[in-house]
Amino acid sequence: MKNIKIYIATHKKAKLPKMDGYIPIQVGSDLHEDLGYIKDNTGDNISRRNPNFCELTALYWIWKNEKDTDIIGLSHYRRYFFNNKKNNDFDNILSIEKIDKILEKKDIILPKKLKFGRKKTVKSQYYESHHTNDLLKCMEISDKLYPNYSKSFRKVLKRKYLYAFNMFIMKKEDFDSYMEWLFSIFSELEKEIDLEKYDSYNQRVFGFLSERLFNVWVLNNKLKIKEITVSNIDENAII
């Protein structure tokens, strides 16, 4: 079987699954006390940027420091992929064996679509909650750096659903390709955003934007998707 690692992003001590292949990683480790997990502030890292990049500080660490893995995934301390959509107990979390079997035929495992409703799109939903110019700047930068992504970017913005939470499981080479693409765009975007003008919520801008850009990348690369139910452990509610 392939070497599969599903990292669990967490910023606090929590009840976590004790399953083969599931590994907790502390995000924003540079800014907080040591929780006893793998920390995102070792090696090549952007741990200190966690207030702006959210779980991307864990993804960046994995990208730069995880070398001997075939398949990479990300869950959250309160959200996981589950086998049975009516059962969100820890013993129902998607197993490494099941992941390996799914990815024999599919390219990526994603949460079931988060649907907005008839009148709301990815673009309008972002505009309701965040600074509109940031999304437009992302598209402009992407158009300049990756013109072959232009159609996909605009198609995603018109969709009435989103693959949310920055949760996925995919081959490491695909993950590396995605991270290279994403951070090349963000390195340019950082030059144009004055975070001091944002409130604490919208200072998480790169985390919010990455959810939308991830959908663009998946579409443009024509990945074969397997949708799996994601459940929220904290609220005992299916998402």
Side-chain angles (χ1 to χ4, degrees), residues 54-69:
C54 308
E55 63 273 358
L56 291 182
T57 62
L59 292 181
Y60 185 94
W61 184 91
I62 296 166
W63 175 36
K64 294 296 186 179
N65 299 285
E66 179 61 71
K67 303 299 183 184
D68 301 317
T69 306

Side-chain angles (χ1 to χ4, degrees), residues 50-89:
N50 182 254
N52 312 127
F53 283 83
C54 308
E55 63 273 358
L56 291 182
T57 62
L59 292 181
Y60 185 94
W61 184 91
I62 296 166
W63 175 36
K64 294 296 186 179
N65 299 285
E66 179 61 71
K67 303 299 183 184
D68 301 317
T69 306
D70 300 309
I71 293 171
I72 284 291
L74 186 77
S75 291
H76 301 277
Y77 72 94
R78 59 196 176 112
R79 289 193 184 108
Y80 300 91
F81 292 102
F82 281 80
N83 292 301
N84 187 330
K85 66 180 181 179
K86 295 182 179 180
N87 178 358
N88 58 346
D89 294 330

